[in-house]
Amino acid sequence: APWFPLGQVGGVPVRIHVTVPLTTLLGGGQAGHLDGYGPIDPATARALALGGTWKRLVTDPLTGTVLDLGRTRYRPPPDLAELIRLRDKTCFRPGCGARASGCQLDHTIPFARGGTTAWENLGAACSVDHPLKTDGHFHVRQTTPGIFEWTSKRTGRTYRREADGTTTPLNPRTGQPLTPPEDA
């Protein structure tokens, strides 16, 4: 009979997915979950986690929706992608009305530079504005999930795309919203 190293079948590493609450890893009694099987007792969950490669996934405690994959995957899973598009409603560039449902998802801090595939680092980008950001014509910051500040490399002007899709010009010196002059 052929012999295979432990953890391999046909020379290919075996991959199992076990979800273990942090409290269980710390000795608590909450069950883990083995994909394709179901609940497993806490001791088995701890034993499987002990010998495995860990990947952090942050989930919404109410829905179980993945909110953050850390640096384990570039492309977000469908549930996270849907949440980003629902949150943003339109392209993340101030003044762009392209519907988010037809947009690509962009890492605010590029994945290649350490950015995570996460709720607070993704935004809906249309096919026109995504390259403008990626090619360096604008510096983009996501100050809060769904709020994006775009600074033009050419003019130095900054515009904030608010969560409701409106645009706020910002004072280049203070970073505060520009206010129209008061009537005298």
Side-chain angles (χ1 to χ4, degrees):
W3 179 85
F4 295 107
L6 185 62
Q8 294 191 1
V9 173
V12 177
V14 173
R15 181 179 284 184
I16 63 169
H17 294 249
V18 180
T19 303
V20 185
L22 179 60
T23 54
T24 300
L25 292 175
L26 297 172
Q30 190 173 354
H33 185 272
L34 177 61
D35 282 1
Y37 176 78
I40 55 175
D41 65 88
T44 302
R46 282 189 289 274
L48 290 170
L50 180 66
T53 301
W54 292 31
K55 292 186 179 181
R56 176 183 62 94
L57 302 176
V58 177
T59 60
D60 181 294
L62 298 177
T63 65
T65 299
V66 175
L67 299 177
D68 186 342
L69 294 167
R71 304 250 331 127
T72 62
R73 280 180 45 187
Y74 176 77
R75 297 203 186 284
D79 56 349
L80 178 57
E82 180 182 22
L83 283 175
I84 300 298
R85 289 184 175 106
L86 289 170
R87 177 197 71 197
D88 292 351
K89 297 178 191 69
T90 62
C91 174
F92 68 157
R93 183 184 57 80
C96 182
R99 295 176 57 108
S101 60
C103 287
Q104 305 159 353
L105 294 183
D106 175 71
H107 289 78
T108 307
I109 299 170
F111 191 81
R113 292 194 197 137
T116 59
T117 301
W119 165 258
E120 66 274 0
N121 193 48
L122 292 168
C126 76
S127 60
V128 172
D129 295 322
H130 194 177
L132 287 175
K133 184 249 182 197
T134 301
D135 294 343
H137 298 284
F138 290 87
H139 172 73
V140 178
R141 287 185 337 128
Q142 189 170 178
T143 59
T144 303
I147 298 177
F148 300 88
E149 291 182 357
W150 283 63
T151 302
S152 168
K153 295 287 185 167
R154 190 170 59 81
T155 67
R157 292 190 174 156
T158 300
Y159 297 89
R160 184 170 56 220
R161 188 236 185 225
E162 306 290 353
D164 65 1
T166 59
T167 300
T168 303
L170 300 178
N171 184 308
R173 284 174 287 161
T174 66
Q176 297 300 311
L178 287 174
T179 55
E182 303 227 4
D183 291 332

